[in-house]
Amino acid sequence: MAAVTDVSMRHPHYALGLGRAATRYIDVCMTLPPNPQGWRLSLPAWIPGSYLIRDFAKNLVGMQAETSLGEPLAITALDQQTWQLPGTDTETVITYAVYCADFSVRTAHVDSDHAFFNGSSVFLRAYGLEALAHRVTLNLQDAPPAWRVATSMPADPSVLDGYRAENYEALIDYPFEIGVFELTTFEARDVPHRMVFTHPHPKTDLARIARDVARICAVEIDLFGGAPFEQYLFLVALDGQGFGGLEHRDSTALIFPRDDLPMIGETAVSSAYQRFLSLCAHEYFHSWHVKRIRPAVFENLPLAGPAHTRLLWVFEGFTSYFDDWLVRRAWLVDEAQYLNALAQTINRAVRGKGWSRQTLEESSFYAWTRFYQQDENAVNAIVSYYTRGALVALMLDLTLRRSGRSLEVVMRQLWLDHGRTGLPEGETIERLIESVAEQSLRDFFHQSLRGTAPLDFVSLLTEFGVRAEAVAEPACTVVDFGAVVGGDDPRVARVQVVFEDRPAACAGLAAGDEIIALDEFAINGAGWQKRLDRYRVGDQVRVSGFRQGRLRHWTVTLAAPVLNQWHLTCLPASVQAAARGAAWLAVVDTGTNA
């Protein structure tokens, strides 16, 4: 293949048509400069921030190529996502359609109401031209007249509805929302921010949301000592029950339940709204920590296959610790609300036996298969680098705060050292944390990152004036059946998760079994817990149900509730613990505002 110096320096151009949005298609016309050696094209197999091979190329339909003179060019497939075109002395024009039916933050969704897409789902890569600027033109003539465009990709003033990205990596890092939406704006530390809400309830208090998110953004900008972008965009898609977020260089795409956002006139921060604020804090934090500070193995667009790293506990785990803490630091929730959110994170980390089967580094490395392709046995087999990583971050933060430092200092130093260069695999991050701590933490790192023993966070919390009390899972406060059972089928109760070495597993039940009777009386998912709570520890219950169409019977001996969850509360503490806790829990309003 010819080097980029052997061809015209004209920029790759993509013209996108939305005339077939009602049938979920985006039409693409891609124009490339002459190249006598021919162009090699590909589409990413995954999108940064979501570590699963998604094979976006499967949604490309009807790809054709021709010269600018209209002469057809053969397209030779090299693999499932890579194609070779023959050489030509004129421009090459490639046309194709992208089928967009995934309502998520990761790919693309188009219909008669709107169009949302990430560039990794739409824009083919031309090998050899990645470093050049890439141009995009939206052909909106056939789109509904009320549709507007929201993206952080810089506009190209020379072209109507034109945009320009500095290179291919930037091109696929600017999501687009096109349609009818509500827009609100704010400034945080003099940086302009936009929030776009697709299909909100008409009474949603968008102004309040903007004020609250502005406080979070200001806290984060202060934490890192400045913003790495000139403007920022939140794209918020609202539906009945979706939840998720994906970070980009100066924007984020979020999905959230519309009924969980505050209405005009409401002043309290519900647990559901707190979850939204933490989601915003999480993805915004990634603007520094993942998009710019990132694993070295993610450099140079390794998007054709998995890029394995053992450091996701740093990137996602630390962020999962800071997200709730930042909402508290912005003075949007009280300490009880923060401790409740922290307890939920800890409880997800310690539930089941997965934490005793997989190390945190292994969890990071196997994210592509074991974490992103979980099954019903995941709770027994794997640990989350999000939640256990957040628990490790909590323990590091409290350890550092013992001596007047904090994990905030670590993040600032990490930003200074690796904001422009990738973070290498290995112990670089561990040595950096030790340099801030001014002490060796080798034993802690060995235990928490490369071991599977329980982590003693309880004593640390006590030093900061917080009591951690072991409690049973909400569904097991009377007796332990040893499985998650439920569902909305009025005829049966479905076994969803079975915990190893607990009553249901010992009796032979498995995930997927359909329970129709408890002690010979009919039962369904809605009535399961109420019925079970009438039994006592040591009772034997006869369970009847179906497995793969065969009637089965099991005898389950109910056990005492397993105290494997935690409830966090502030306790009367010593002066020293109170001072430490005040700094950590931000119990004094710092006056932070946008």
Side-chain angles (χ1 to χ4, degrees), residues 14 16 26 28 43-44 56 60 96 98 100 107-108 117-124 168:
Y14 306 81
L16 306 187
I26 295 176
V28 183
L43 201 65
F56 298 126
L60 299 192
Y96 56 94
V98 183
C100 309
T107 51
F117 63 87
N118 288 289
S120 51
S121 303
V122 173
F123 299 126
L124 285 169
Y168 183 78

Side-chain angles (χ1 to χ4, degrees), residues 44-56 81 106 246 295 297-299 301-312 316 358 360-375 382-383 385-386 425:
W46 59 283
I47 183 169
S50 184
Y51 311 114
L52 176 69
I53 296 300
R54 299 187 184 277
D55 292 320
F56 298 126
Q81 63 205 31
R106 299 174 297 268
L246 189 66
V297 297
F298 288 0
E299 300 283 340
L301 291 177
L303 297 177
H308 294 95
T309 174
R310 289 178 169 83
L311 296 174
L312 292 182
E316 294 294 354
Q358 187 184 55
L360 202 44
E361 287 188 343
E362 290 170 342
S363 175
S364 300
F365 188 82
Y366 292 111
W368 299 85
T369 52
R370 299 185 187 179
F371 184 79
Y372 265 91
Q373 300 184 60
Q374 293 184 35
D375 58 22
I382 68 171
V383 70
Y385 50 80
Y386 283 90
E425 297 295 303

